[in-house]
Amino acid sequence: MRWDAQALSPTRRPASENSSTAAPGPAPALDALVPLAGLVRSISTPEFSGVTFHEVTAKSVLNRVPSGSNMPFEWTINPYRGCSHACVYCFARKTHTYLEFDSGRDFDSQVVVKINAAEVLRKELAKPSWGHHTVALGTNTDPYQRAEGRYALMPAIIRALADSGTPFSILTKGTLLARDIPLLKHAATQVPVDLGISLAMTNEDLAEVIEPGTPSPRARLKLIARLRDAGLGCGVMAMPILPWLTDSDEALDALFTELVKAGATGVTAGALYLKPGTREWYMAWLASHHPGLVGRYRRLYGQGSYASKEYRTWLSGRINYFKAKHGFTGTYGFGHRNARATADKESAATAGRRESREATERHPGQEPLF
């Protein structure tokens, strides 16, 4: 069926009162979007069963991070809002409520697409006031989620950034990134480019239920190898490590073993971060799939978003042990800090010590990095 024939009428059923806390499962496509500035059309297609895409024209694409934020970047681009990766633990779920969607199934199934992203970006980058700051992609939702195969927004975004002399970083779980390897290689000759893959487990069965829309861990490991074979650096964001699910010595050793084989240039790892919106959805999933762990999680996280300090300290020690065992000590992982930009300021060993310290002190838990 033709994609263009699937436009929906601009009416939408209200979300169920319990939709943000019910156990995750297949999401029905809603009829359309509540009124949204710049809405062009809403589309549902059998190719993406259960997902509705809301195409909008954006007035601005560059987003400035609020002053005072702990984030290691000042500017971001998010060509999509919502994410069909449907990661149960995704920190960004709460942001969907700003669009009057819920943070549960709507986040997974109602995807907003900024169809004019590259055009607007070029205009913004051409302004005399633009300071050519490093721009981070993949900070809120994944720019290489499945819809990118249809909309192909990233190639023009990459060209716009590189042509303007703007350094950038990309964090993704999406193997669609491989399509743009030649473009990224060329961009890296123009500006500093920092690439990261999000991968925190090698258990294929667990990944299938907790990251149901993502490429498998095996596929992401192959992507890391392809990036390295192409001469591109590739750090890994091994977040979130899930208490009692992926934090055992066996699980961590398996993860670091595979990352070494794939050629990862470094690893950043940390514990699950349960901010409001994510907490309710994750705990509902946990009650459905691992009910025996619910009480443990409640005691570990209390009323907050972070695991206890004792747990974070313990996990940091295990992570550092396996980093040392597999040769990652002194290497830089990934945190949307451009590797070239920091290389002339500090040695790799200093960067590794700083990264470990920040993971347990300044950013205890999984901060909003993707």
Side-chain angles (χ1 to χ4, degrees):
M1 299 179 67
R2 289 181 58 83
W3 181 279
D4 290 344
Q6 308 307 310
L8 303 175
S9 60
T11 59
R12 179 178 185 259
R13 295 194 310 273
S16 166
E17 292 181 1
N18 297 321
S19 60
S20 63
T21 57
L30 301 182
D31 290 335
L33 187 65
V34 294
L36 179 70
L39 178 63
V40 176
R41 62 178 179 172
S42 296
I43 294 175
S44 180
T45 172
E47 182 184 356
F48 293 87
S49 179
V51 180
T52 301
F53 297 98
H54 307 289
E55 299 178 354
V56 302
T57 54
K59 292 184 178 180
S60 177
V61 175
L62 280 171
N63 309 303
R64 183 157 197 167
V65 176
S67 60
S69 170
N70 286 332
M71 294 302 96
F73 44 81
E74 296 181 65
W75 296 87
T76 68
I77 295 173
N78 290 292
Y80 302 95
R81 298 284 299 273
C83 187
S84 62
H85 282 341
C87 300
V88 176
Y89 53 74
C90 183
F91 93 93
R93 289 183 170 278
K94 186 70 172 179
T95 64
H96 228 42
T97 63
Y98 307 154
L99 303 178
E100 298 188 42
F101 287 129
D102 68 52
S103 58
R105 286 193 176 91
D106 282 358
F107 182 84
D108 303 337
S109 63
Q110 305 299 309
V111 178
V112 177
V113 185
K114 301 174 185 177
I115 55 176
N116 65 335
E119 176 185 352
V120 173
L121 177 61
R122 281 195 175 275
K123 293 178 180 178
E124 291 181 307
L125 296 174
K127 293 180 179 179
S129 59
W130 174 241
H132 300 87
H133 311 281
T134 299
V135 174
L137 295 102
T139 64
N140 192 47
T141 57
D142 201 314
Y144 282 101
Q145 59 180 286
R146 280 187 63 214
E148 173 62 15
R150 155 66 192 182
Y151 287 100
L153 301 179
M154 285 298 291
I157 289 173
I158 292 169
R159 291 189 191 97
L161 291 167
D163 291 347
S164 71
T166 299
F168 63 92
S169 63
I170 299 173
L171 177 65
T172 183
K173 289 183 174 80
T175 51
L176 277 165
L177 176 72
R179 177 199 64 193
D180 294 340
I181 286 177
L183 185 58
L184 290 165
K185 288 182 64 176
H186 179 68
T189 67
Q190 300 173 275
V191 296
V193 174
D194 200 12
L195 301 175
I197 302 302
S198 177
L199 178 61
M201 66 187 77
T202 57
N203 185 322
E204 300 276 334
D205 293 334
L206 178 60
E208 188 174 349
V209 294
I210 203 167
E211 307 171 335
T214 65
S216 69
R218 188 178 301 108
R220 278 175 271 168
L221 288 166
K222 290 180 180 178
L223 175 61
I224 294 169
R226 288 189 63 179
L227 289 168
R228 299 297 291 127
D229 289 344
L232 294 166
C234 182
V236 170
M237 178 69 78
M239 291 185 175
I241 302 298
L242 307 174
W244 297 293
L245 292 174
T246 63
D247 63 351
S248 69
D249 281 0
E250 293 78 11
L252 292 173
D253 195 34
L255 175 63
F256 282 88
T257 295
E258 294 302 320
L259 294 180
V260 168
K261 290 179 182 177
T265 52
V267 187
T268 298
L272 174 67
Y273 176 64
L274 289 179
K275 65 183 297 184
T278 301
R279 183 187 181 105
E280 297 82 357
W281 193 243
Y282 182 83
M283 292 300 289
W285 176 87
L286 197 68
S288 177
H289 290 78
H290 299 279
L293 294 180
V294 172
R296 291 187 182 185
Y297 268 78
R298 287 175 177 163
R299 290 189 292 274
L300 184 63
Y301 283 85
Q303 299 302 312
S305 300
Y306 300 112
S308 69
K309 184 177 180 180
E310 292 76 13
Y311 176 83
R312 286 184 274 115
T313 300
W314 171 82
L315 180 61
S316 177
R318 300 316 296 155
I319 289 170
N320 288 336
Y321 170 80
F322 286 108
K323 288 180 73 171
K325 177 180 177 181
H326 293 285
F328 287 112
T329 299
T331 64
Y332 182 72
F334 187 85
H336 286 292
R337 298 175 183 85
N338 187 271
R340 293 190 200 176
T342 59
D344 60 349
K345 296 180 181 179
E346 57 186 354
S347 68
T350 301
R353 290 193 297 272
R354 172 178 50 75
E355 176 193 326
S356 176
R357 181 179 67 251
E358 290 182 352
T360 57
E361 297 177 2
R362 186 180 179 192
H363 303 308
Q366 185 187 358
E367 288 292 337
L369 293 173
F370 60 94

